[in-house]
């Protein structure tokens, strides 16, 4: 499923126009991204939580040459599925 499919399904389920639903989906995603960028955790009950995680610096290997390279520390987004979501996926 892509964003267009999501907009179509929500539009059909709610009776709202695709334009309105698309705007709501965009603003929801923007708000989640902005909050995680600020270092905040975003929890959606039953769905899951988004939060930034810090990865420490480490050594890696160049697969072509076998040469050691330094991989710098960085911050990455992380998603953890909620219990309800996990239970539904498991059947």
């Amino acid at each position: 499923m892509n964003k267009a499919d999501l907009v179509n399904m929500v539009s059909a389920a709610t009776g709202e126009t695709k334009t309105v639903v698309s705007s709501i989906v965009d603003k929801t995603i923007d708000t989640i991204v902005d909050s995680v960028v600020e270092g905040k955790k975003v929890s959606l009950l039953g769905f899951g939580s988004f939060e930034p995680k810090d990865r420490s610096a480490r050594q890696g290997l160049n697969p072509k040459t076998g040469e050691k390279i330094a991989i710098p520390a960085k911050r990455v987004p992380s998603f953890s599925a909620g219990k309800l979501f996990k239970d539904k996926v498991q059947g």
Side-chain angles (χ1 to χ4, degrees):
M1 174 185 288
N2 59 29
K3 183 180 156 192
D5 295 335
L6 176 64
V7 168
N8 290 335
M9 291 178 72
V10 173
S11 177
T14 62
E16 286 291 337
T17 65
K18 291 179 185 177
T19 305
V20 170
V21 172
S22 180
S23 176
I24 292 170
V25 169
D26 286 340
K27 289 299 177 190
T28 302
I29 292 170
D30 289 345
T31 303
I32 291 170
V33 169
D34 291 344
S35 294
V36 172
V37 166
E38 292 173 5
K40 298 176 185 174
K41 181 176 181 177
V42 178
S43 296
L44 304 172
L45 188 61
F47 180 68
S49 61
F50 300 88
E51 65 183 317
K53 296 234 174 152
D54 293 320
R55 287 194 182 163
S56 58
R58 61 189 193 280
Q59 287 281 332
L61 289 177
N62 181 331
K64 283 188 175 180
T65 63
E67 178 184 347
K68 288 185 180 183
I69 56 172
I71 301 171
K74 62 182 171 180
R75 178 176 261 187
V76 295
S78 173
F79 173 76
S80 298
K83 183 176 179 350
L84 181 62
F85 188 11
K86 287 179 187 176
D87 291 346
K88 283 193 173 194
V89 170
Q90 290 178 5

